[in-house]
Amino acid sequence: MVRLPLTPEEVERGQRLGALLRRARGERSMLDVALDAHVSPETLRKIESGRVATPSFPTIAAIADVLGLSLDAVWADISRPEDEIAPVRAGHRAREPLTA
């Protein structure tokens, strides 16, 4: 199976996802979050760095759960332009997009 190259929009969304997860992780170690989410630390590192721009849904769901983020909030944040994204607080489970 041949994997098609990612579009610039997909790459940018992956970078926003990585930044969102890094902010939400805060002072927690990458190792602790990865182990709690049952993903490898390498997988979390690649997602946070934007190297894996389109991680699987179960992976993101597990990481978001560990970080206390709702999937609605994650999707709303990564789907908006960077200048509209507000800082994320761990434990935020709002149904509305995170706004300033």
Side-chain angles (χ1 to χ4, degrees):
M1 179 169 133
V2 175
R3 184 175 176 131
L4 297 175
L6 299 175
T7 66
E9 293 81 16
E10 290 171 323
V11 171
E12 185 178 330
R13 192 169 44 240
Q15 291 169 344
R16 287 193 303 264
L17 174 63
L20 170 76
L21 296 178
R22 278 192 311 276
R23 288 190 311 270
R25 185 167 53 82
E27 297 297 319
R28 290 182 68 181
S29 77
M30 189 178 289
L31 178 62
D32 288 342
V33 171
L35 293 177
D36 288 349
H38 302 287
V39 300
S40 74
E42 181 67 10
T43 296
L44 181 56
R45 187 183 67 74
K46 286 179 180 178
I47 294 168
E48 285 191 1
S49 69
R51 287 187 50 214
V52 174
T54 58
S56 72
F57 178 80
T59 298
I60 294 306
I63 296 168
D65 184 54
V66 166
L67 295 175
L69 299 172
S70 77
L71 291 175
D72 290 337
V74 170
W75 179 250
D77 273 12
I78 68 171
S79 297
R80 294 188 288 166
E82 186 68 31
D83 61 345
E84 293 180 20
I85 298 175
V88 173
R89 296 176 311 277
H92 185 83
R93 292 191 175 269
R95 294 193 179 269
E96 297 300 319
L98 301 176
T99 56

